[in-house]
């Protein structure tokens, strides 16, 4: 069963900590995405990558960075976590040019205290 | 820029009734795709249905159909004969077929099915 796996389901971190959220897909997809989901705001794109070592900013990149050293892995990094980064983080992947859906991970609920 | 608007934050529907979830969109791109996703309380995003902007017919997938009205820029999701398991958040999303392939999402509608 093909899937996108996010390393942690729940995470609690302290303000100022460096936080790594990991995402791995086994579908050989070129595109990978990081979204954050907040009540009343829907899903907002943080960063995406269309190939190894390639990345582009999404709509809300401030306070985040990403790394994609291997095709299957896309990491989201919070350089210095803040309480306003408490949220649900969703990773997704897709094959370029496909008209169908994207595959999402189960999400990581991050709480920054 | 693309924008998706879902004006119904929450809906309550009796089991076995049909339900329509509204979605309007705004884009200047001539070619694009529209998606609906379901998110149960477990948090996973489940792909439901896709409509291409040049598709002549409305998309259908089992109990789901997409009422696509291009001139009105609307892409409503219709669920026929709703079931308890349909209780979830529903998100409308779109993607331009030019440039990058990011999805732009609406704010979602929480659907609750009443027994």
């Amino acid at each position: 069963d093909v899937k996108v796996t996010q390393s942690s389901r729940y995470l609690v971190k302290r303000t100022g900590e460096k936080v790594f959220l990991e995402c791995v897909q086994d579908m050989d997809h070129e595109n990978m995405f990081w979204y954050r989901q907040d009540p009343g705001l829907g899903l907002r794109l943080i960063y995406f990558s269309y190939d190894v070592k390639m990345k582009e900013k999404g709509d809300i990149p401030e306070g985040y960075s990403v790394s994609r050293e291997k095709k299957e892995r896309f990491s989201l990094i919070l350089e210095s976590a803040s309480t306003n980064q408490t949220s649900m983080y969703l990773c997704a992947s897709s094959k370029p040019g496909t008209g169908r859906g994207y595959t999402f991970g189960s999400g990581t609920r991050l709480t920054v205290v | 820029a693309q924008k998706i608007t879902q004006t119904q934050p929450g809906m309550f529907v009796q089991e076995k009734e049909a339900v329509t979830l509204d979605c309007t969109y705004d884009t200047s791109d001539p070619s694009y795709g529209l998606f609906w996703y379901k998110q149960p309380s477990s948090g996973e995003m489940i792909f439901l249905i896709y409509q291409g902007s040049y598709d002549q017919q409305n998309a259908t997938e089992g109990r789901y159909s997409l009422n696509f009205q291009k001139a009105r820029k609307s892409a409503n999701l219709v669920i026929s004969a709703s079931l308890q398991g349909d209780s979830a958040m529903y998100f409308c999303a779109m993607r331009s077929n030019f440039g990058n392939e990011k999805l732009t999402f609406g704010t979602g509608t929480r659907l609750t099915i009443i027994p």
Side-chain angles (χ1 to χ4, degrees):
Chain A
D1 191 20
V2 293
K3 58 185 177 183
V4 174
T5 303
Q6 293 184 231
S7 54
S8 303
R9 187 81 176 97
Y10 298 95
L11 214 50
V12 180
K13 296 292 182 181
R14 294 197 180 278
T15 301
E17 274 192 77
K18 189 168 186 176
V19 181
F20 293 85
L21 302 184
E22 306 287 347
C23 175
V24 177
Q25 51 98 0
D26 63 2
M27 294 165 285
D28 200 35
H29 284 171
E30 285 80 3
N31 297 331
M32 294 189 77
F33 308 84
W34 274 106
Y35 287 87
R36 71 175 275 179
Q37 181 181 359
D38 300 288
L41 297 177
L43 279 75
R44 294 176 293 165
L45 182 66
I46 305 171
Y47 266 98
F48 66 98
S49 169
Y50 49 89
D51 203 348
V52 175
K53 296 189 187 293
M54 307 301 286
K55 61 185 179 186
E56 282 196 29
K57 293 180 180 179
D59 301 315
I60 51 163
E62 296 79 20
Y64 303 95
S65 62
V66 290
S67 172
R68 192 163 180 205
E69 297 295 319
K70 293 185 178 181
K71 191 176 186 180
E72 67 270 18
R73 185 179 296 269
F74 191 35
S75 303
L76 180 69
I77 304 157
L78 287 67
E79 295 291 341
S80 177
S82 64
T83 54
N84 62 14
Q85 292 178 309
T86 292
S87 186
M88 170 71 92
Y89 291 87
L90 289 162
C91 176
S93 72
S94 73
K95 193 100 180 137
T98 55
R100 306 295 284 183
Y102 297 50
T103 303
F104 281 83
S106 299
T108 296
R109 186 166 293 282
L110 173 67
T111 302
V112 183
V113 297
Chain B
Q2 301 167 355
K3 185 178 168 79
I4 294 282
T5 302
Q6 294 181 254
T7 57
Q8 306 154 310
M11 287 187 71
F12 291 84
V13 172
Q14 207 78 36
E15 195 172 12
K16 298 181 185 177
E17 287 186 355
V19 57
T20 298
L21 305 182
D22 295 340
C23 172
T24 57
Y25 61 91
D26 191 24
T27 182
S28 55
D29 293 326
S31 179
Y32 49 88
L34 294 155
F35 302 77
W36 276 93
Y37 283 86
K38 172 184 178 181
Q39 188 182 44
S41 56
S42 57
E44 65 199 290
M45 293 286 282
I46 301 169
F47 166 74
L48 295 179
I49 198 165
Y50 167 82
Q51 178 86 42
S53 58
Y54 286 111
D55 292 343
Q56 294 297 312
Q57 294 190 326
N58 287 344
T60 60
E61 295 276 355
R63 292 186 303 114
Y64 304 107
S65 61
L66 200 151
N67 184 2
F68 180 47
Q69 298 187 45
K70 194 171 182 178
R72 300 177 68 176
K73 292 190 174 178
S74 76
N76 298 340
L77 177 71
V78 180
I79 307 174
S80 63
S82 54
L83 305 170
Q84 281 291 304
D86 293 333
S87 292
M89 280 290 287
Y90 288 81
F91 290 98
C92 180
M94 76 176 297
R95 180 200 68 201
S96 169
N97 290 338
F98 297 94
N100 66 61
E101 300 201 352
K102 67 175 188 176
L103 283 177
T104 299
F105 285 84
T107 52
T109 297
R110 181 169 297 281
L111 176 65
T112 303
I113 307 300
I114 305 166

